[in-house]
Amino acid sequence: MLRRPLAIAALTVGALVAVGCGGGQVAVERHLVFVHLTKPTNATVWIGDANGGRAHRLTRGYAAVVSPDGRTIAVGRSDGIHLVSSDGKRERRLTTANRWPEAWSADGKWIIAATDYSLAVVDADSGGSRLVARGVFYGFGFSPDGRRLVYARAPRKAGEDICSARPDLYVMGLAGGARSRLTRDGRSAFPVWGSGRIAFMRLPQRLRLGDCFAPGIWTMRPDGRDVRPVVARAPRRLSRAGYYGLQPVAWLGRGRLLVGVRSEWGNEGATLDIARKRLRRLELCTGQGTHRGCRVYYVDKASHDGRLVVGDGGNEKITISIIQVSDGRPIFTLRGDVCCPDWNR
């Protein structure tokens, strides 16, 4: 399976309104993109509507993220990041560095891009890149106003499993400036920035073998103060037998978080009520007693209104799905040699 992803300038001056994200008023298109592959050398990017319908091959590439207006796809290839129009008719190379495009900023001015050991901010017009930091990265998120970036970084020399890596949270402006360190515990990762607070995953303090499998969810103010546990330690049923604790995925509004129950095959969906500290799995269960069975779907990103989530995960064949937060029911599923969905819904 390909690395999971941690938006276009105009091709010509006259094409700014047609394909640009920041150069004029354009109608917004809604798209889902994903990668289809049997091996990395023949990976292709596919595009469909926001519900996954009418999906078709767009171009070659091993990673893809959708611009805020949906008219441009940032595509990762070995020779750099390419910007491809949603209809596949226009394309230009934005960078020559082989980095994974991870996400667009909300205003379409910046693309977050990564390698195995670096994170960078790329200007979506000029292609100029600014190194954020080097190390091993465990998630990032944008501030609600789209001007700042919070990310989790561990020193490369510390090791790549999260228990020995010692990650901490940092924040910086997308347009530049000094970075600030928010945590110094070596146990904080996967930040999600909401209105007034940042949610993040935190490993238990003692870090014994069992503790590594039981990270919980905490929140803090954007300046790093007022750190509070919501679930200080994942419950036992979610930290053994193939489960590895909890991870925030997105804020859903009204004091709720979309949460991933970490497993070997992906983040199984759940919601967390912050005030009540109540976790609800997004499962579809049928039958009773010994005949009861539950089906789970995986979550990576939420829609802007918090009603739908998209994600991928699974064993040998990966399933991409879009599910309803209200009841966990899927409105779209695709199983096969696929991965890494992104959308601008």
Side-chain angles (χ1 to χ4, degrees):
M1 179 176 172
L2 284 181
R3 179 185 185 277
R4 187 185 298 270
L6 250 190
I8 165 174
L11 299 177
T12 66
V13 173
L16 277 171
V17 174
V19 298
C21 290
Q25 297 297 319
V26 295
V28 174
E29 301 175 5
R30 301 296 180 188
H31 292 295
L32 171 74
V33 297
F34 58 90
V35 175
H36 185 282
L37 70 154
T38 54
K39 54 185 178 180
T41 55
N42 68 357
T44 56
V45 174
W46 287 56
I47 187 169
D49 62 31
N51 290 334
R54 298 190 293 274
H56 59 277
R57 183 187 185 279
L58 178 67
T59 187
R60 60 186 180 86
Y62 59 74
V65 287
V66 187
S67 66
D69 67 9
R71 292 176 172 265
T72 304
I73 316 302
V75 174
R77 296 178 187 159
S78 60
D79 65 346
I81 295 174
H82 292 247
L83 300 179
V84 181
S85 60
S86 60
D87 60 9
K89 295 180 179 180
R90 295 174 297 279
E91 174 182 329
R92 76 177 176 97
R93 187 165 67 170
L94 181 66
T95 73
T96 58
N98 182 10
R99 291 189 174 109
W100 291 283
E102 298 277 5
W104 291 75
S105 63
D107 58 9
K109 293 182 179 180
W110 311 100
I111 299 171
I112 306 302
T115 68
D116 284 337
Y117 299 110
S118 71
L119 195 69
V121 176
V122 180
D123 187 302
D125 288 322
S126 69
S129 299
R130 185 178 72 258
L131 184 69
V132 173
R134 298 186 186 276
V136 182
F137 295 88
Y138 294 91
F140 67 88
F142 296 105
S143 62
D145 63 9
R147 297 179 180 178
R148 290 177 289 172
L149 181 75
V150 61
Y151 61 92
R153 171 195 171 272
R156 180 176 176 179
K157 62 182 180 181
E160 294 189 33
D161 67 280
I162 197 166
C163 292
S164 62
R166 299 192 59 78
D168 275 303
L169 303 185
Y170 301 81
V171 66
M172 64 168 288
L174 284 173
R179 71 178 183 181
S180 299
R181 187 170 181 172
L182 300 181
T183 66
R184 297 182 180 275
D185 52 35
R187 298 181 286 118
S188 302
F190 299 107
V192 178
W193 202 326
S195 178
R197 298 192 71 81
I198 295 173
F200 61 101
M201 187 186 89
R202 196 180 201 188
L203 293 162
Q205 187 169 2
R206 285 174 288 186
L207 285 185
R208 299 168 300 184
L209 179 61
D211 294 331
C212 182
F213 303 144
I217 293 177
W218 296 57
T219 69
M220 66 167 68
R221 292 181 183 176
D223 60 5
R225 296 183 299 167
D226 191 27
V227 179
R228 303 177 187 176
V230 182
V231 179
R233 179 190 176 97
R236 184 172 174 81
R237 69 182 186 280
L238 301 180
S239 57
R240 61 175 182 171
Y243 289 110
Y244 305 101
L246 302 173
Q247 172 184 325
V249 174
W251 286 91
L252 298 175
R254 298 182 180 179
R256 290 193 307 153
L257 278 170
L258 176 67
V259 170
V261 178
R262 293 159 56 85
S263 77
E264 184 175 356
W265 309 117
N267 287 329
E268 297 181 5
T271 61
L272 177 62
D273 185 307
I274 300 295
R276 298 179 179 180
K277 299 185 178 182
R278 180 178 298 172
L279 186 74
R280 178 176 68 92
R281 301 286 299 274
L282 296 178
E283 300 175 316
L284 288 180
C285 299
T286 58
Q288 295 181 351
T290 58
H291 299 289
R292 181 176 175 81
C294 295
R295 184 171 184 179
V296 299
Y297 294 95
Y298 302 91
V299 296
D300 295 317
K301 299 176 177 72
S303 60
H304 292 298
D305 62 10
R307 298 173 60 187
L308 298 170
V309 295
V310 64
D312 72 343
N315 196 341
E316 294 178 357
K317 295 292 184 180
I318 305 301
T319 297
I320 293 174
S321 60
I322 299 173
I323 66 172
Q324 300 175 143
V325 173
S326 60
D327 56 13
R329 294 186 179 276
I331 66 169
F332 169 80
T333 59
L334 177 66
R335 182 172 170 82
D337 297 311
V338 293
C339 77
C340 318
D342 185 62
W343 63 1
N344 66 327
R345 183 160 191 156

